[in-house]
Amino acid sequence: MSFEPCPELSIIVPFYNEAGNVVHFLTALSRQQGVHLEVILSDGASSDLGRDEAERLSSKLPFPVRVIGGEKGRAGQLNRGALAARGATLLFLHIDSHFEDPLALRSGLDALTAAGAAHVAGRFALSFDFGGPTPLPYRFYGQKATLDRPGCTHGDQGFLIGRAFFEEAGPFDADLPLMEDTFFAERVRKMGRWLLLPPRISTSPRRFLAEGLLPRQSLNAVLMSLAHTGHLQLIRDLKRSYRSQDTTGKLRLRPVLTPLADAIRALPRAERRRLWRETGAYVRGNAWQLALFLDVLTGDVEAGKGGRFLLLYDRIVARFIANRAGDLCAALLTRLWFRLTLAALP
């Protein structure tokens, strides 16, 4: 089988110990139509047979597959994949994601081209693959992912971006052991804009199910707040807070949050007060999520816009609380939540 020397699209997929998922991912991708693509699997020194499975299947696929190796670390794996890619457009994709629509990639590329701007990147509408009714929290996450607001764009949506724009906004920050996709998404937002692409991407909820939805999202909220205020270094071992999928089990928050509480108490008083003040501002600035949740709960929601509760929040509530009093109230509530969470942990 012969392939075009320069594919239209390069799909870059980081993986580590994903035997069993590699074949499913590549088989699903082979159903895509109307696009000349290549797939680059960026292996992070896996110890299972995932790489062998990919290489055995590659000769049976309608597109070329290359497996490249290197050190474990999602950002580094993504960057190595981008360097190896030959296409003018890159798609960074998770290995547990897939498209139901066989023309998803074609329509995504067409939408990005139609945008007609150099500083535009695309992300897909997100849904979680439950094989039945989607639980309320996951419907909320899917709706949140359609909004063009800071903190709403993540790697499980897929990042479709021209090579030139990626080279401006990238690479992914290899100094970060986690959230490299979120930081990259915000750089794209500052330099240009995100386009919500028409097709939908489905992703597995396996991490949430394995770790527990509440502890994982609680830790994510803490990490995002610390990153926003410039205090991410207070988490002593960030790698422990985001284990690779093959070692994921029930997430225990105490080993992460107790040292964090100690580190906060050890800060000089002025620095500690600044941390909580900036945390309050960050939490207050994200209070709109409560309004969006009500929209999802009532079913009054439109992709990319939200519903009447979010509209009411933006028009009235946001203006009312956007002040020092609002920040202080949010800071006090956050401190209370943090203390109560620590006290309740086993």
Side-chain angles (χ1 to χ4, degrees), residues 21-330:
N21 291 318
V22 172
V23 172
H24 176 76
F25 170 80
L26 291 173
T27 301
L29 202 56
S30 69
R31 302 187 186 103
Q32 289 297 303
Q33 302 172 12
V35 57
H36 299 288
L37 61 90
E38 67 172 355
V39 175
I40 299 172
L41 298 174
S42 187
D43 182 23
S46 296
S47 58
D48 66 0
L49 298 177
R51 181 169 185 152
D52 295 336
E53 291 178 352
E55 290 174 344
R56 281 198 299 269
L57 182 63
S58 62
S59 62
K60 303 176 184 178
L61 296 170
F63 46 76
V65 177
R66 284 185 288 159
V67 183
I68 62 174
E71 294 182 357
K72 182 183 176 184
R74 183 176 289 271
Q77 291 173 243
L78 290 166
N79 291 335
R80 287 193 296 272
L83 287 173
R86 298 175 296 158
T89 304
L90 311 177
L91 172 60
F92 298 96
L93 206 57
H94 286 188
I95 202 165
D96 57 359
S97 298
H98 68 278
F99 300 96
E100 295 291 345
D101 181 0
L103 294 175
L105 296 182
R106 180 68 269 158
S107 58
L109 283 167
D110 290 345
L112 190 63
T113 300
H119 289 169
V120 176
R123 88 275 193 210
F124 296 92
L126 177 67
S127 63
F128 290 87
D129 189 7
F130 277 95
T134 303
L136 175 62
Y138 297 90
R139 284 189 279 125
F140 166 73
Y141 301 142
Q143 288 294 337
K144 179 183 172 184
T146 68
L147 300 181
D148 188 18
R149 298 183 181 220
C152 290
T153 305
H154 304 285
D156 50 8
Q157 295 177 254
F159 291 168
L160 186 68
I161 184 170
R163 177 184 294 278
F165 190 17
F166 174 75
E167 291 175 351
E168 282 190 64
F172 292 92
D173 190 345
D175 291 331
L176 293 171
L178 72 169
M179 296 195 301
E180 73 293 322
D181 56 339
T182 304
F183 280 85
F184 175 77
E186 294 313 309
R187 289 201 301 275
V188 168
R189 180 170 281 108
K190 289 178 181 178
M191 298 177 64
R193 67 183 178 93
W194 280 103
L195 175 69
L196 182 63
L197 301 171
R200 181 168 296 275
I201 189 171
S202 296
T203 192
S204 170
R206 56 180 178 159
R207 180 174 291 276
F208 293 123
L209 297 178
E211 293 186 334
L213 180 61
L214 182 59
R216 168 42 61 190
Q217 290 298 67
S218 297
L219 183 54
N220 283 349
V222 169
L223 294 172
M224 287 294 292
S225 178
L226 290 172
H228 179 81
T229 61
H231 287 88
L232 200 56
Q233 77 282 356
L234 293 179
I235 298 287
R236 294 178 184 174
D237 190 354
L238 281 168
K239 291 184 178 180
R240 288 180 58 188
S241 69
Y242 204 82
R243 296 168 290 183
S244 57
Q245 185 61 46
D246 65 310
T247 61
T248 294
K250 188 69 175 179
L251 179 61
R252 296 177 61 243
L253 290 177
R254 183 168 291 281
V256 180
L257 297 189
T258 297
L260 172 60
D262 294 339
I264 292 174
R265 283 192 292 267
L267 291 173
R269 173 176 286 188
E271 180 68 11
R272 189 165 63 248
R273 292 179 65 180
R274 184 177 74 84
L275 181 149
W276 285 115
R277 183 172 65 251
E278 292 178 352
T279 297
Y282 174 76
V283 172
R284 187 266 307 161
N286 281 274
W288 59 266
Q289 296 188 43
L290 297 175
L292 178 65
F293 186 84
L294 290 176
D295 285 330
V296 175
L297 179 64
T298 59
D300 178 26
V301 63
E302 182 180 350
K305 295 182 179 180
R308 65 179 183 274
F309 286 106
L310 185 57
L311 180 63
L312 178 66
Y313 176 89
D314 287 340
R315 287 183 174 178
I316 300 176
V317 179
R319 298 178 184 181
F320 181 74
I321 65 175
N323 48 52
R324 293 185 65 181
D327 293 350
L328 176 60
C329 182

